[in-house]
């Protein structure tokens, strides 16, 4: 299997433009809930002029307490499965959608490194979740290669591509 090229800033801009185009076409507001990307998804989206017409809110929640307070993640979920889990990202994306009035949301949580990995969840482990208002939350597990920036950059690209698919779906 060939290696996937690292997304460039131009690639991320194009992915953000695709989200913007479909969000405007569908008249849907967008929200983000980010952990390992530290707001990079929201930044990429709001770098586009006129984003206030379709971007509702972005939340950066690194700590357990922030995930609980800002996104409504259940403390028992975090205790049982940890921050980097399917259960947590599903609660993050559902919380963002419920709390911030958007029509579609994306959430990301992962281990960008260079430390923090374990044998069960090595550096590069990322969960991304998407949900559309009135639909079901779903998530996908990724294992990205590279340093901290590379893991985060690939996460942003996958999150944006998935958001476009969610909007079109």
């Amino acid at each position: 299997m060939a290696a996937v090229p690292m997304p460039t800033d131009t690639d991320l801009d194009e992915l953000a433009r695709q989200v913007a185009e479909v969000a405007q076409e569908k008249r849907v507001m967008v929200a983000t809930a980010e952990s390992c990307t530290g707001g990079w998804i929201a930044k990429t989206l709001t770098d586009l002029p006129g984003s206030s017409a379709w971007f509702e809110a972005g939340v950066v929640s690194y700590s357990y307490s922030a995930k609980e307070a800002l996104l409504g993640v259940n403390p028992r979920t975090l205790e049982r499965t940890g921050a980097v889990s399917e259960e947590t990202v599903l609660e993050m994306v559902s919380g963002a959608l419920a709390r911030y009035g958007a029509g579609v949301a994306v959430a990301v949580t992962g281990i960008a490194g260079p430390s923090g990995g374990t044998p069960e969840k090595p550096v590069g482990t990322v969960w991304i979740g998407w949900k559309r208002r009135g639909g079901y939350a779903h998530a996908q597990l990724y294992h990205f290669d590279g340093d901290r920036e590379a893991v985060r950059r690939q996460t942003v690209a996958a999150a944006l591509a998935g958001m476009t698919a969610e909007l079109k779906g």
Side-chain angles (χ1 to χ4, degrees):
M1 185 165 146
V4 176
M6 185 63 56
T8 65
D9 288 346
T10 303
D11 295 332
L12 297 182
D13 291 345
E14 178 55 33
L15 288 165
R17 274 192 273 287
Q18 291 171 16
V19 170
E21 184 179 299
V22 181
Q24 289 176 90
E25 177 184 303
K26 302 277 186 174
R27 297 187 176 162
V28 173
M29 297 297 282
V30 170
T32 63
E34 301 179 62
S35 187
C36 63
T37 48
W40 196 346
I41 299 167
K43 181 210 179 299
T44 302
L45 291 169
T46 60
D47 278 348
L48 298 174
S51 57
S52 60
W54 51 269
F55 186 85
E56 182 73 29
V59 174
V60 177
S61 59
Y62 263 56
S63 70
Y64 279 23
S65 60
K67 285 175 177 61
E68 294 166 21
L70 299 172
L71 297 167
V73 175
N74 189 319
R76 287 182 293 285
T77 300
L78 293 165
E79 185 179 299
R80 190 172 32 85
T81 67
V84 181
S85 67
E86 181 177 21
E87 295 85 351
T88 295
V89 83
L90 291 173
E91 289 186 26
M92 287 173 67
V93 75
S94 294
L97 203 58
R99 290 176 181 233
Y100 300 105
V104 67
V106 62
V108 298
T109 185
I111 304 164
S115 61
T118 66
E120 299 80 30
K121 296 178 186 178
V123 169
T125 301
V126 175
W127 279 98
I128 304 178
W130 300 270
K131 185 174 182 182
R132 190 174 178 135
R133 185 162 304 285
Y136 294 102
H138 59 97
Q140 187 168 341
L141 174 62
Y142 294 85
H143 295 285
F144 296 123
D145 291 324
D147 63 9
R148 183 175 180 80
E149 180 173 346
V151 169
R152 293 173 70 180
R153 181 175 290 276
Q154 292 169 89
T155 302
V156 173
L160 292 171
M163 181 165 273
T164 298
E166 188 72 20
L167 283 161
K168 287 181 175 181

